[in-house]
């Protein structure tokens, strides 16, 4: 058993190295420098041993989808690693905005004016300024969070007024049964015409395609940590 094996027999260090190598290759094929695409390791449902293994392998940027779970897991690890960057990638309730602002460095799921106001208030009160991405529901799926593509420009303008400079980018989760590249191209286009520089798209199954279509952040979970443990 290697030092980085988890109880589930997943070699996190090995998987991380493999994902990083694939990402570098995908970026290069698209004529982009390797550092243009940042790997966000999605650690939702994963326990301490998996997180520790990823940290030991040099990973510092992580994604979590629940405020409460992240609050339970990350503060002690942050004491040991000051350079950890935490991304919230799951839906955020307005009444948890202050907790999210206190804990996360990037909030990827801004999707309604009420939440923009709550985040702005929490930022003003705490002095913390996590970067924010607007989630765009590129597939216009009724069950999925995010602003509709046709409303994105107006909502971006609203958020610029409400939260100002911390508004940094866009995020999407394409429909599971559709060709992701169409959605990635759409998100890239909306980001570019609105002058937003950060684009979060691509997961375990399609992060190389996302890198080719201009992702600056890919969110990869199972390819690094194996199956989730609910
Ligand atoms: C869980 C999750 C991911 C990671 O998905 P994998 O397929 O495990 O890589 C990425 N983005 C979001 C928003 C998620 O909820």
């Amino acid at each position: 058993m290697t030092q980085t094996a988890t109880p589930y027999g997943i070699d996190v260090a090995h998987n991380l190295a493999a994902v990083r190598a694939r990402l570098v290759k995908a970026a290069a094929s698209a004529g982009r420098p390797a550092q243009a695409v940042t790997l966000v390791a999605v650690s939702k449902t994963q326990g301490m041993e998996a997180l520790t293994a990823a940290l030991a392998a040099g990973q510092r940027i992580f994604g979590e989808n629940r405020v409460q779970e992240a609050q339970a897991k990350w503060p002690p690890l942050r004491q040991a690693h000051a350079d950890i960057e935490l991304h919230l990638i799951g839906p955020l309730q307005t009444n948890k905005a202050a907790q999210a602002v206190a804990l996360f460095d990037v909030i990827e799921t801004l999707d309604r004016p009420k939440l923009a106001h709550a985040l702005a208030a929490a930022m003003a009160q705490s002095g913390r300024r996590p970067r924010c991405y607007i989630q765009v529901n590129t597939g216009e799926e009724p069950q999925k969070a995010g602003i509709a593509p046709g409303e994105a420009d107006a909502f971006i303008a609203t958020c610029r007024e409400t939260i100002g400079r911390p508004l940094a980018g866009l995020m999407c989760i394409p429909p599971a049964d559709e060709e992701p590249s169409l959605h990635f191209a759409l998100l890239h286009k909306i980001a570019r015409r609105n002058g937003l520089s950060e684009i979060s798209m691509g997961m375990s199954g399609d992060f190389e395609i996302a890198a080719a279509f201009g992702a600056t952040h890919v969110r990869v979970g199972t390819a690094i940590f194996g199956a989730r443990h609910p």
Side-chain angles (χ1 to χ4, degrees):
M1 191 146 93
T2 67
Q3 203 190 346
T4 55
T6 71
Y8 306 98
I10 302 292
D11 190 336
V12 170
H14 172 271
N15 291 348
L16 259 174
V19 167
R20 286 189 195 128
R22 286 169 59 190
L23 198 51
V24 166
K25 207 169 156 189
S29 306
R32 305 180 66 205
Q35 66 274 21
V37 195
T38 298
L39 176 62
V40 180
V42 175
S43 51
K44 65 190 188 202
T45 81
Q46 303 296 339
M48 276 304 151
E49 284 184 68
L51 305 187
T52 306
L55 286 163
Q59 181 65 28
R60 289 294 181 272
I61 305 178
F62 294 87
E64 291 281 350
N65 67 336
R66 288 168 193 270
V67 174
Q68 236 170 337
E69 181 186 339
Q71 270 174 335
K73 282 155 60 172
W74 286 98
L77 296 168
R78 276 203 146 144
Q79 302 230 296
H81 304 278
D83 53 348
I84 286 172
E85 179 176 295
L86 275 188
H87 289 230
L88 177 64
I89 60 169
L92 178 57
Q93 292 172 289
T94 306
N95 64 9
K96 294 216 176 103
Q99 287 165 274
V101 164
L103 183 64
F104 289 95
D105 304 289
V106 180
I107 294 171
E108 298 204 10
T109 50
L110 172 54
D111 64 354
R112 56 198 191 278
K114 202 177 160 205
L115 181 57
H117 284 285
L119 289 171
M123 288 185 204
Q125 191 152 42
S126 66
R128 279 182 54 85
R129 296 274 182 281
R131 307 202 304 282
C132 294
Y133 303 167
I134 290 169
Q135 182 173 357
V136 182
N137 186 359
T138 57
E140 305 195 53
E141 296 172 280
Q143 82 285 7
K144 206 168 262 177
I147 206 90
E151 292 163 20
D153 292 0
F155 186 58
I156 290 165
T158 300
C159 290
R160 283 211 158 104
E161 283 173 25
T162 314
I163 63 173
R165 278 183 57 95
L167 181 66
L170 300 179
M171 175 272 216
C172 79
I173 310 168
D177 56 352
E178 285 184 27
E179 169 56 45
S181 58
L182 304 173
H183 298 271
F184 296 157
L186 174 60
L187 195 70
H188 187 227
K189 192 170 125 187
I190 298 170
R192 201 160 44 181
R193 75 170 175 240
N194 285 283
L196 290 169
S197 59
E198 299 184 35
I199 305 176
S200 172
M201 57 189 189
M203 318 201 301
S204 289
D206 55 18
F207 68 86
E208 288 150 307
I209 301 171
F213 278 84
T216 62
H217 294 74
V218 294
R219 311 177 305 267
V220 179
T222 48
I224 296 169
F225 295 109
R228 286 185 266 280
H229 312 291

